[in-house]
Amino acid sequence: MPLNAQTLHTATFAELLADTHRTAVHLEMRDVYAVGDERKDFESFLRTGVPNLDPARSFWPQRTPLVQDAVTRRVMMRRARIVSEPVTDYIRYEHAITPLNLQAGEDVRWLPRRRASDIALPGNDFWLLDDRVVQFHHFTGTGDWAPDCRERTADPAAVALCAAAFETVWERGIPHEKYSVPAS
């Protein structure tokens, strides 16, 4: 799919990812998310302390094939998370379900927020695809999707900021298998 002004704003994320050939990176910077597709699993985790690691349940059946397809096409998929410590219950949950990201083919790193103070970061979480398009995510103060939950741009300055921020976070980040969630 040729990227132009119209497809940039009308394509689904799945279509943009299908047109990605080298890299797809995602930076998460919030300590609490309250998005609807995770709500039941998160509530269950809070009650039981046991994560839902079944990729055929919850929101994973829609997401996993997208990641696996990209990885099969040799797209390097990386996710970095900046987190406050001690972590919130949501970050404990997110850490516990990260094996699903890894099984799908993503590489994941964690960066304690205190080690990110000197990094120029954009104001919102984002996906950066092939260093050509950024999809910012907008959330409400409580962590749910905002009404205008996504914003896309191919602006070179925004792409450069996001690429530099992600690479710095990635370089400082701790691989998932080495990062232990500090006790509250």
Side-chain angles (χ1 to χ4, degrees), residues 57-122:
R57 290 182 40 209
S58 188
F59 57 94
W60 291 97
Q62 297 81 30
R63 187 185 174 291
T64 300
L66 297 176
V67 174
Q68 290 173 331
D69 175 67
V71 171
T72 298
R73 292 182 290 107
R74 298 185 182 208
V75 173
M76 184 182 352
M77 296 204 59
R78 298 181 293 161
R79 179 181 301 256
R81 296 174 172 140
I82 299 173
V83 296
S84 299
E85 293 178 335
V87 300
T88 62
D89 286 340
Y90 182 85
I91 295 300
R92 280 189 320 102
Y93 159 74
E94 195 170 51
H95 188 269
I97 65 169
T98 295
L100 291 168
N101 296 84
L102 302 173
Q103 288 170 14
E106 285 187 51
D107 197 1
V108 179
R109 292 190 183 179
W110 302 82
L111 182 65
R113 192 170 307 281
R114 70 182 179 279
R115 294 177 52 196
S117 297
D118 62 344
I119 303 172
L121 297 167

Side-chain angles (χ1 to χ4, degrees), residues 22-174:
R22 295 181 321 280
T23 60
V25 301
H26 186 42
L27 182 60
E28 298 176 9
M29 300 179 282
R30 295 181 58 92
D31 287 319
V32 175
Y33 294 88
V35 292
D37 56 356
E38 295 178 337
R39 190 165 287 126
K40 287 182 184 176
D41 282 348
F42 179 51
E43 289 169 357
S44 175
F45 177 78
L46 288 177
R47 281 191 315 276
T48 67
V50 178
N52 173 6
L53 294 177
D54 180 355
R57 290 182 40 209
S58 188
F59 57 94
W60 291 97
Q62 297 81 30
R63 187 185 174 291
T64 300
L66 297 176
V67 174
Q68 290 173 331
D69 175 67
V71 171
T72 298
R73 292 182 290 107
R74 298 185 182 208
V75 173
M76 184 182 352
M77 296 204 59
R78 298 181 293 161
R79 179 181 301 256
R81 296 174 172 140
I82 299 173
V83 296
S84 299
E85 293 178 335
V87 300
T88 62
D89 286 340
Y90 182 85
I91 295 300
R92 280 189 320 102
Y93 159 74
E94 195 170 51
H95 188 269
I97 65 169
T98 295
L100 291 168
N101 296 84
L102 302 173
Q103 288 170 14
E106 285 187 51
D107 197 1
V108 179
R109 292 190 183 179
W110 302 82
L111 182 65
R113 192 170 307 281
R114 70 182 179 279
R115 294 177 52 196
S117 297
D118 62 344
I119 303 172
L121 297 167
N124 296 290
D125 291 7
F126 64 85
W127 276 97
L128 175 60
L129 306 174
D130 279 345
D131 289 328
R132 67 184 177 127
V133 62
V134 178
Q135 177 171 297
F136 291 108
H137 292 172
H138 300 289
F139 297 93
T140 65
T142 59
D144 203 351
W145 294 110
D148 61 340
C149 64
R150 73 165 200 227
E151 171 190 356
R152 293 182 182 153
T153 184
D155 174 65
V159 167
L161 170 66
C162 291
F166 184 86
E167 291 305 327
T168 303
V169 170
W170 188 257
E171 181 181 299
R172 293 181 189 182
I174 301 164

